[in-house]
Amino acid sequence: MRTVTVLGSTGSIGCATLDLLGRAPGAFAVEALTGAGNVALLAEQAVAHRARLAVTARPDLYAELRERLAGTGIEAAAGPEAVAEAAARPADWTMGAIVGAAGLVPSLEVVRRGGTLALANKETLVAAGRLVMAEARRHGAAILPVDSEHSGLFQALRGERAEEVERLILTASGGAFRDWPLERLVHATVEEASTHPNWAMGQRITVDSASMFNKALEVIEAHELFGLPPDRIEVLIHPESLVHALVGFRDGGLIAHLGAPDMRHAIGFALYHPAREALPVERLDLAQVGRLTFREPDAARYPALGLARAAMEAGGLMGAAFNAAKEAALDAFLARTIRFTDMARVVEEALDRLSGAGALPSLCRSGDIPRLEDVLEADRLARETARELVAAMGEDA
Ligand code: NAD
Ligand code: MG
């Protein structure tokens, strides 16, 4: 029996992971499940999957979690440190499905114990890719990408030689507003941005898909995971979301990964890797689909892509700052403090300030492997700067 831990079990990816575990009775023993606000669901999952430990990131919800687990023999804990400790406990396979930079420290714990980390939390790699990949090599940890595009790339790269790879192509649906007239974007509401044309996901990544910040994070994620320079990682708008990614080789051949938009494919691939097991995902009927379309992303519609490229070129701690500024801008949009199109303005301005003032370069030079403390400091500075910019925008309005 393999032991598994699911970090972020109450979210969209976490629930899909538990769905797969539930379909293989007797194959897995759940060590720990972690969540945050939804302790009712967390407790229910812990009981249903006979977890040994359930942790909420929220200390204020500890009493409620303990009460819900009373008499079950399941251990309860709370707080970010307890989440990190859950990640550090031995388990054969760990899903990293926390949303946001809060996933970084738990991811590092898994990597530092030499574990197998199925990584959905792309923010881990965006904020600290160099550090996490270096630690993974040092401790013999395996990182299996779960983001659908990166799982697709990983699959297309199996058995291929790194030096023969010319380029990586990530597809993007184009999000909720791909066909909106540009002038209308400024009026986009939270509700409109929270509906994805093809995928059912958590609200934050859905809004990030509409703004293309999700793809921006994914370009950085691909750069960190596969080591290709930014100019050899491309983005292609593909409204059908059936081709997830393509690898281009130096002989001109392209290998594409296709599948129905169901995250259980990528999660299941990581769960059973290196084997392939039967998974409960829809089989594509390409004759029924009929046609697949592609187009170039429009820079005016999607400024996030250019910002991500600038952050990658700058290197050092700019990825951590990029992600944190984006999270703060997204918080402000979700709170209806700034407009949809202001998110990219906040991120751009925050990064300008931080690189201009030399605040980030003084923490870590561009080619160095950053220390965790410096990554966390860059995150804090960028969040603070973005929040100041948001506040100033509010005063102007
Ligand atoms: P979600 O919002 O549905 O779930 C997030 C999970 O993280 C929940 O369990 C929540 O309790 C937990 N959490 C939230 N804040 C936390 C904190 N401060 N500390 C600890 N735990 C916290 O998110 P999701 O859509 O499942 O996405 C999870 C991750 O996977 C994200 O990084 C996302 O970008 C990535 N991802 C998601 C999808 C998808 O289809 N949903 C696809 C690709 C990648
Ligand atoms: Mg993705």
Side-chain angles (χ1 to χ4, degrees), residues 246-257:
L246 305 96
V247 177
F249 297 89
R250 66 182 180 198
D251 59 1
L254 280 171
I255 297 185
H257 183 273

Side-chain angles (χ1 to χ4, degrees), residues 364-382:
C364 168
R365 282 185 317 237
S366 131
D368 292 352
I369 294 177
R371 298 176 310 166
L372 177 61
E373 306 89 272
D374 297 335
V375 171
L376 297 177
E377 177 60 8
D379 179 295
R380 194 191 61 74
L381 277 171

Side-chain angles (χ1 to χ4, degrees), residues 122 147-150 205 214-215 218:
K122 61 194 84 188
D147 215 341
S148 56
E149 298 76 4
H150 305 72
I205 182 175
N214 180 49
K215 209 54 52 179
E218 289 183 359

Side-chain angles (χ1 to χ4, degrees), residues 185-238:
L185 285 181
V186 66
H187 305 295
T189 66
V190 170
E191 290 71 26
E192 287 164 335
S194 302
T195 355
H196 196 281
N198 305 324
W199 294 87
M201 312 184 284
Q203 185 187 27
R204 298 182 70 88
I205 182 175
T206 302
V207 176
D208 282 350
S209 298
S211 64
M212 207 51 85
F213 267 112
N214 180 49
K215 209 54 52 179
L217 298 176
E218 289 183 359
V219 172
I220 304 179
E221 181 187 12
H223 168 62
E224 300 292 352
L225 265 175
F226 302 110
L228 260 77
D231 62 342
R232 293 208 268 140
I233 305 174
E234 303 168 16
V235 173
L236 204 52
I237 303 290
H238 168 50

Side-chain angles (χ1 to χ4, degrees), residues 3 17 73 119 123 128 134 165 176 206 213 244 287 317-318 333 361 363 389:
T3 54
T17 305
L119 189 59
E123 295 89 346
V165 175
T206 302
F213 267 112
H244 306 311
L317 294 166
M318 213 45 102
F333 173 66
L363 286 175
L389 290 162

Side-chain angles (χ1 to χ4, degrees), residues 8 10-13 35-36 57 97-99 102 120-123 147 201-202 263:
T10 56
S12 163
I13 294 286
I98 291 171
V99 64
N121 178 255
K122 61 194 84 188
E123 295 89 346
D147 215 341
M201 312 184 284
M263 287 306 295

